[in-house]
Amino acid sequence: MELNDRITLSLPCKAEYVSVARLTASGIAYRMGFDIDTVEDIKVAVSEVCSRLINVSKNSDGEYEILYEIDDNRLKVTFSSKNIERAGCIFEDDKDGLGVSIIKAFMDEVEFCPDNKDYILSMTKFIEEKS
Amino acid sequence: MELNDRITLSLPCKAEYVSVARLTASGIAYRMGFDIDTVEDIKVAVSEVCSRLINVSKNSDGEYEILYEIDDNRLKVTFSSKNIERAGCIFEDDKDGLGVSIIKAFMDEVEFCPDNKDYILSMTKFIEEKS
Amino acid sequence: MSGELIVRAEYSERDAVVYLSGEIDIYNAQQFKEKIYQVVENSKGDVSIDCSDLNYIDSTGLGVFVGALKKAKQNNRDIHILNIRDNIKKLFVITGLDKLFIIH
Amino acid sequence: MSGELIVRAEYSERDAVVYLSGEIDIYNAQQFKEKIYQVVENSKGDVSIDCSDLNYIDSTGLGVFVGALKKAKQNNRDIHILNIRDNIKKLFVITGLDKLFIIH
Ligand SMILES: Nc1ncnc2c1ncn2[C@@H]1O[C@H](COP(=O)(O)OP(=O)(O)O)[C@@H](O)[C@H]1O
Ligand SMILES: Nc1ncnc2c1ncn2[C@@H]1O[C@H](COP(=O)(O)OP(=O)(O)O)[C@@H](O)[C@H]1O
């Protein structure tokens, strides 16, 4: 499984730009050929991570990055940040929260608390084989 | 005039992702409060620069960055690239082209061939004062 | 684009209906909270939320729904959800909130 | 989203009508070129392009329009543009292409 294309979006840690993250996520998922419901699911999952990042980051000067790795059969989305406090286990205090349920339901794989990694969270959606 | 927020989108130099650039541009312009026609104009101008970059870049391994600097009264969009051949005067061979006419008509300021700068092109749109 | 949120309330002798249009996310959830709490407070009975034109809601917005329901229940009232779109219904089901609200 | 481009052609005894739907940009301009050139070639007369459902076109797409017009003119034929939306009309005016095409 070879990763081909990479798209990165870097955003201020502010609530007003989460809608931008959603549009970008939709555009990428749509272009990859995900069906319209799955595009919506990916958009929602991305938005939930953004909201949570903004909630845990106390400094509105913070920035975060969303990396999309695009492959023939999957989309991998990785969140990272150089200057958000408490980046790491962002959902730790909220393991049963609504956001977590949504992300788990909509993505195929989610790595919530990566050990010793320089990113915050990573999640993957596979493209279903057309039968 | 103080620049507040910065959003960066980094894309592969491939035609299939220009639609992603358009969606991101629309989302940012819309969130800034530009009226719907101006959102469309900014989207179109951004798309024209992307297309041209892809046309002049011979290597499809190339990547480019779109930096949005968001201010109370203006949006400044700057294109740059670390690995596109002939990045620099991308519209040089096409000064009377359709793309150039469109960009000039839709943006308030355009710097097509920045001298000794590390970016390719930069363009600005001001938010009209509501009277 | 369909970004902005519009909240419109209609009161009757018996109850209140709220019409939502646009998107609810972390950016406007606080504004939504103030408006919906106000309706729950002012309604003479149950509150119906018409979601015909609500095309997106995130967990922050769902949290406001739950808060509004708690507030309503304190006065022995209910919240009814009307005309919910499939993509938003899906969120209620996933989070289990479909069991708390009366979804028509 | 309304990304993909659909090109549908209808031929009559006298002419041809092409219905465009979606977006034309650098990604699909080549595909569009092949289809529209084919129609210009096969039409018994003028070609009308119905743009009711065309919601975006970039300079690459406009270039294909111009190329198709040149091809048509070689056979003393014209291209008519029908039901063009305001945002796309604006592009024709800005680029001066409104003077080349018969825009209805
Ligand atoms: N399945 C559920 N049933 C009932 N209440 C719930 C459920 N899930 C969450 N809540 C309540 O909804 C409110 C907001 O949810 P929360 O977990 O805080 O979401 P968030 O992911 O935004 O932190 C809280 O009051 C919480 O107790
Ligand atoms: N105003 C105009 N009038 C007539 N033809 C034009 C005009 N502008 C461009 N063209 C023609 O349209 C075609 C494509 O335009 P071009 O300048 O190559 O666009 P771009 O290079 O920006 O995609 C060319 O054949 C060009 O000669």
Side-chain angles (χ1 to χ4, degrees):
Chain A
M1 195 170 55
E2 194 192 341
L3 279 178
N4 297 316
D5 290 331
R6 296 160 64 94
I7 296 177
T8 314
L9 179 70
S10 159
L11 286 171
C13 233
K14 294 185 178 175
E16 54 258 56
Y17 299 119
V18 174
S19 58
V20 174
R22 280 201 296 277
L23 274 175
T24 307
S26 303
I28 293 169
Y30 181 76
R31 176 52 83 219
M32 286 181 68
F34 283 104
D35 65 78
I36 220 71
D37 287 340
T38 310
V39 169
E40 177 80 14
D41 292 351
I42 293 169
K43 178 189 88 173
V44 170
V46 166
S47 189
E48 289 300 332
V49 180
C50 297
S51 297
R52 185 69 194 166
L53 264 171
I54 289 162
N55 275 331
V56 300
S57 79
K58 299 289 171 269
N59 55 329
S60 70
D61 289 350
E63 280 181 18
Y64 63 100
E65 266 199 4
I66 312 175
L67 167 66
Y68 294 89
E69 290 173 286
I70 297 160
D71 192 19
D72 288 340
N73 68 339
R74 64 157 197 187
L75 172 64
K76 185 173 177 188
V77 189
T78 303
F79 290 77
S80 61
S81 174
K82 289 189 195 76
N83 56 3
I84 292 179
E85 287 172 45
R86 276 213 54 211
C89 261
I90 53 168
F91 286 101
E92 200 166 33
D93 303 339
D94 193 43
K95 288 204 179 80
D96 307 314
L98 302 170
V100 171
S101 331
I102 293 170
I103 293 166
K104 280 186 183 161
F106 284 170
M107 300 301 287
D108 293 325
E109 288 175 0
V110 189
E111 196 185 4
F112 278 103
C113 291
D115 273 337
N116 302 315
K117 299 270 169 66
D118 57 356
Y119 58 87
I120 294 170
L121 182 147
S122 145
M123 55 194 195
T124 301
K125 191 80 186 176
F126 295 95
I127 295 187
E128 274 172 47
E129 296 295 322
K130 276 164 199 121
S131 54
Chain B
M1 194 169 56
E2 195 193 340
L3 278 179
N4 298 314
D5 290 331
R6 295 161 64 93
I7 296 178
T8 314
L9 179 70
S10 158
L11 286 171
C13 233
K14 293 185 178 174
E16 54 259 56
Y17 299 119
V18 174
S19 58
V20 174
R22 281 202 296 276
L23 274 174
T24 307
S26 303
I28 293 170
Y30 181 77
R31 175 53 81 219
M32 286 181 68
F34 283 104
D35 65 78
I36 220 70
D37 286 340
T38 310
V39 169
E40 177 80 14
D41 292 351
I42 293 168
K43 177 188 91 172
V44 170
V46 166
S47 189
E48 289 299 333
V49 180
C50 297
S51 297
R52 185 69 193 167
L53 264 171
I54 290 162
N55 274 332
V56 300
S57 79
K58 298 291 168 271
N59 53 330
S60 70
D61 289 349
E63 280 180 18
Y64 62 102
E65 266 198 4
I66 312 175
L67 166 65
Y68 293 89
E69 290 173 286
I70 296 161
D71 192 18
D72 288 340
N73 69 340
R74 65 158 197 187
L75 173 64
K76 186 173 176 188
V77 189
T78 303
F79 290 77
S80 62
S81 174
K82 289 191 195 75
N83 56 3
I84 290 179
E85 286 173 45
R86 276 214 53 214
C89 263
I90 54 169
F91 286 101
E92 200 167 34
D93 303 340
D94 195 41
K95 288 204 179 80
D96 308 313
L98 302 171
V100 171
S101 331
I102 293 170
I103 293 166
K104 280 186 183 162
F106 284 169
M107 300 301 286
D108 293 324
E109 289 175 0
V110 189
E111 197 185 4
F112 278 104
C113 290
D115 272 337
N116 302 314
K117 300 271 170 64
D118 57 356
Y119 57 86
I120 295 170
L121 182 147
S122 146
M123 56 193 193
T124 301
K125 190 80 185 176
F126 295 95
I127 294 187
E128 275 171 48
E129 297 296 322
K130 274 161 200 125
S131 54
Chain C
M1 237 148 315
S2 46
E4 300 317 303
L5 172 67
I6 298 166
V7 183
R8 190 167 58 79
E10 281 179 11
Y11 296 93
S12 77
E13 292 296 306
R14 292 187 303 111
D15 58 8
V17 186
V18 179
Y19 297 88
L20 302 180
S21 157
E23 304 194 334
I24 303 177
D25 75 355
I26 186 176
Y27 179 54
N28 56 23
Q30 187 56 36
Q31 168 207 340
F32 170 56
K33 185 176 179 172
E34 285 162 19
K35 291 193 175 163
I36 194 84
Y37 276 36
Q38 202 187 352
V39 178
V40 169
E41 210 142 281
N42 294 344
S43 175
K44 303 227 171 93
D46 287 0
V47 172
S48 294
I49 305 182
D50 186 317
C51 298
S52 311
D53 295 324
L54 180 67
N55 39 51
Y56 178 75
I57 187 165
D58 75 353
S59 64
T60 324
L62 291 172
V64 174
F65 268 72
V66 173
L69 183 65
K70 282 183 186 160
K71 216 172 149 60
K73 293 277 191 195
Q74 283 164 9
N75 301 311
N76 287 314
R77 286 163 182 177
D78 251 316
I79 292 187
H80 302 257
I81 297 182
L82 314 180
N83 303 320
I84 192 171
R85 294 189 183 179
D86 285 347
N87 61 323
I88 293 176
K89 176 81 182 289
K90 200 160 139 187
L91 291 174
F92 276 83
V93 172
I94 282 169
T95 55
L97 297 184
D98 60 328
K99 295 184 199 76
L100 301 184
F101 292 87
I102 304 168
I103 300 182
H104 295 264
Chain D
M1 236 150 316
S2 47
E4 299 316 304
L5 173 67
I6 299 165
V7 183
R8 190 167 57 79
E10 279 179 13
Y11 297 92
S12 76
E13 292 296 304
R14 292 186 304 112
D15 58 10
V17 186
V18 179
Y19 297 88
L20 301 181
S21 156
E23 304 193 333
I24 303 176
D25 75 354
I26 186 175
Y27 180 54
N28 55 22
Q30 187 57 35
Q31 168 207 338
F32 170 56
K33 184 175 179 173
E34 284 161 20
K35 290 193 177 163
I36 194 83
Y37 276 36
Q38 199 186 353
V39 178
V40 169
E41 210 142 281
N42 294 345
S43 175
K44 302 227 172 91
D46 287 0
V47 172
S48 295
I49 305 182
D50 186 318
C51 298
S52 312
D53 296 323
L54 180 67
N55 38 51
Y56 178 75
I57 187 165
D58 75 352
S59 64
T60 324
L62 292 173
V64 175
F65 268 73
V66 174
L69 183 65
K70 283 182 186 162
K71 217 172 148 60
K73 293 278 191 193
Q74 284 164 8
N75 301 311
N76 287 316
R77 284 164 185 177
D78 251 314
I79 293 187
H80 303 256
I81 297 183
L82 313 180
N83 302 319
I84 192 171
R85 294 188 185 181
D86 284 348
N87 61 323
I88 293 175
K89 176 82 184 288
K90 199 160 138 186
L91 291 174
F92 275 83
V93 172
I94 281 169
T95 54
L97 297 185
D98 59 328
K99 295 184 199 77
L100 301 184
F101 291 88
I102 303 168
I103 300 182
H104 295 264

